[in-house]
Amino acid sequence: MKTRPFSLPCAVADTQAGPVMRWERSDLTLSFTDYQDEPCCLRFEDVPHFELLADGELDGRVFFDDGAVEVLGSPVMAKLVEVGALTDSEAEAHRHVVIGFNEIGSFLSIVYRNMVVIGD
């Protein structure tokens, strides 16, 4: 498994409020207030998998607790293909990103097809 830094449209370090997650029809909406007290709302579309993980469940040398990382060759996506939640071609169109919210000591691991900034 390889990773690379992933740029989000808003900062997740030292959030002032949230994150609040809403799951609806295979889309996950994530809302929070950043360290400058600016609201951020992202919608992740076509989400076959997401989970909130506690600090310590992931390797801190690989996953940033105050930023985002894209997982390349994701074992989670391989498992989704294995169990039939995604086809091989769908997996190619999806991304696996892990977002660290250091203020709450948690990581959001999410597999999605498209990300939209809400409110722009």
Side-chain angles (χ1 to χ4, degrees):
M1 174 184 75
K2 293 184 179 183
T3 61
R4 66 178 169 206
F6 183 79
S7 180
L8 287 169
C10 26
V12 293
D14 303 325
T15 56
Q16 298 298 307
V20 174
M21 293 178 276
R22 186 183 69 193
W23 171 253
E24 186 175 13
R25 291 184 234 157
S26 298
D27 291 347
L28 180 70
T29 302
L30 180 67
S31 302
F32 57 92
T33 304
D34 74 11
Y35 73 100
Q36 294 179 323
D37 218 23
E38 293 292 325
C40 182
C41 190
L42 306 172
R43 183 176 63 241
F44 296 91
E45 298 174 329
D46 192 13
V47 176
H49 172 87
F50 70 94
E51 62 184 319
L52 194 61
L53 302 165
D55 193 19
E57 289 188 77
L58 296 174
D59 185 342
R61 295 169 297 180
V62 177
F63 298 97
F64 309 127
D65 68 352
D66 61 354
V69 172
E70 182 174 7
V71 181
L72 308 172
S74 167
V76 171
M77 290 213 337
K79 186 66 172 178
L80 291 170
V81 170
E82 180 183 318
V83 300
L86 287 176
T87 65
D88 285 327
S89 62
E90 288 172 329
E92 290 177 15
H94 281 68
R95 299 177 105 163
H96 179 193
V97 171
V98 177
I99 304 168
F101 289 94
N102 65 337
E103 192 65 27
I104 63 168
S106 296
F107 294 90
L108 174 62
S109 175
I110 181 168
V111 175
Y112 68 95
R113 182 182 42 79
N114 189 42
M115 178 179 61
V116 177
V117 178
I118 298 173
D120 271 0

